Amino acid sequence: MAKIGFIGTGIMGKPMAQNLQKAGHTLFFSEHFDKAPADLLGDNGVALANPKEVAQEAEFIIVMVPDTPQVDDVLFRKDGIAEGVGAGKVVIDMSSISPTATKVFAEKIKATGAAYLDAPVSGGEVGAKAATLSIMVGGCPNAFERALPLFQAMGKNITRVGANGDGQTAKVANQIIVALNIQAVAEALLFAAKNGADPAKVREALMGGFAGSKILEVHGERMIKGTFDPGFRISLHQKDLNLALSGARELGLNLPNTANAQQVFSTCAALGGSNWDHSGLIKGLEHMSNFSIREE
């Protein structure tokens, strides 16, 4: 059983940490930002003052925070992870952040003698709780093999994509696909309801055909019921699409549908929906159409 540092116990991070504890691992938590959740502490959960202390105690240090600046902070702040790592340790960033910044972070951590993996996840809160996350990993094969038992405690579809940064690139690609699928489901249900069909029955009919998908199953139901508690916040999906669009500019690519989905998310944010689940994208379309698929 491993000693694991875990920094970031939010909507996704907390159930991921719980699954590592269920697998028998001992976790160390930093309280530099917030107190560690009380139900994670005990025989296999220890609270420490800062990321440096966590890194000194643990063999593996997992980071699961919202965005690139937060990863930069916990890695390289005074009393940060970089001050506590060295040879034999593995830093694993499971956040969804910039692939370009990831490559810089990896080189700085590797200069300490430690290994670095970028390992963002997909599957949302449901997948985090069920330990069925898809995990996309960038980094050297040896570090990946060492960390594989940890990934297997949190997920099912685990792929080493390539070198550092490639895991984050795969996650950005994932978020493009998810956003466009959410928009497709929202537009289809809006079209059906405006034509007088029951959107719940339309969803049921489509589930068995080629249009069936996890998005239609999970987020289609949320759209119909109007349950937009996150889940995965619109603000975070906007962050991921910003990574896609800024990366596309660097590469000289045009991603028109990604840009359009981002504009609909921006409409939701303007309506006060930054903290809605990303299935709430439908509310932006409803606002623009002056029509709701629900009785509101």
Side-chain angles (χ1 to χ4, degrees):
M1 296 296 103
K3 292 183 176 180
I4 303 168
F6 202 104
I7 298 176
T9 51
I11 289 174
M12 295 286 291
K14 183 176 179 181
M16 291 164 66
Q18 288 172 322
N19 285 324
L20 288 167
Q21 289 180 326
K22 288 175 186 175
H25 303 294
T26 298
L27 270 61
F28 298 88
F29 304 99
S30 173
E31 296 195 323
H32 70 286
F33 184 74
D34 277 329
K35 291 290 185 183
D39 54 344
L40 294 178
L41 303 179
D43 292 340
N44 60 349
V46 180
L48 298 173
N50 55 57
K52 177 182 177 180
E53 291 186 10
V54 168
Q56 289 172 329
E57 291 291 334
E59 176 186 2
F60 300 92
I61 304 94
I62 293 174
V63 179
M64 187 61 178
V65 295
D67 202 351
T68 307
Q70 288 78 32
V71 175
D72 191 3
D73 179 62
V74 298
L75 290 177
F76 304 115
R77 63 184 284 133
K78 186 183 184 310
D79 293 329
I81 289 169
E83 293 185 7
V85 293
K89 296 180 184 274
V90 181
V91 176
I92 307 170
D93 178 29
M94 304 190 77
S95 319
S96 296
I97 70 166
S98 163
T100 303
T102 291
K103 295 174 186 179
V104 175
F105 297 164
E107 291 306 311
K108 292 171 72 173
I109 291 296
K110 288 190 287 188
T112 71
Y116 191 95
L117 297 173
D118 47 291
V121 303
S122 179
E125 183 183 13
V126 173
K129 289 181 175 179
T132 57
L133 293 168
S134 291
I135 305 176
M136 300 148 261
V137 188
C140 76
N142 288 340
F144 173 74
E145 290 299 326
R146 286 179 60 193
L148 186 57
L150 278 60
F151 295 144
Q152 289 170 334
M154 297 180 283
K156 294 297 183 186
N157 182 32
I158 302 157
T159 306
R160 179 182 171 268
V161 181
N164 285 130
D166 290 345
Q168 294 293 354
T169 296
K171 178 57 188 290
V172 172
N174 177 88
Q175 294 303 81
I176 293 171
I177 293 170
V178 171
L180 299 191
N181 272 273
I182 289 174
Q183 183 160 336
V185 169
E187 290 186 6
L189 296 180
L190 186 63
F191 172 80
K194 183 67 173 179
N195 258 331
D198 181 346
K201 290 295 184 182
V202 170
R203 171 183 167 276
E204 182 182 336
L206 298 179
M207 282 294 298
F210 205 51
S213 69
K214 199 70 176 177
I215 298 294
L216 181 62
E217 177 188 351
V218 176
H219 292 321
E221 183 177 35
R222 288 178 176 174
M223 293 173 191
I224 291 164
K225 292 183 176 179
T227 52
F228 300 121
D229 295 333
F232 188 77
R233 292 183 178 90
I234 281 174
S235 60
L236 292 177
H237 211 140
Q238 285 185 293
K239 176 261 297 182
D240 292 338
L241 295 190
N242 280 337
L243 293 175
L245 294 169
S246 62
R249 284 192 296 272
E250 292 172 5
L251 296 168
L253 295 176
N254 183 18
L255 303 179
N257 294 319
T258 303
N260 181 261
Q262 183 73 308
Q263 289 300 314
V264 182
F265 278 139
S266 294
T267 298
C268 294
L271 295 171
S274 292
N275 288 325
W276 295 340
D277 182 78
H278 53 174
S279 59
L281 177 143
I282 194 171
K283 290 178 71 68
L285 295 174
E286 290 172 331
H287 175 77
M288 290 185 281
S289 302
N290 194 30
F291 178 82
S292 174
I293 70 168
R294 298 164 304 284
E295 293 184 4
E296 294 183 333

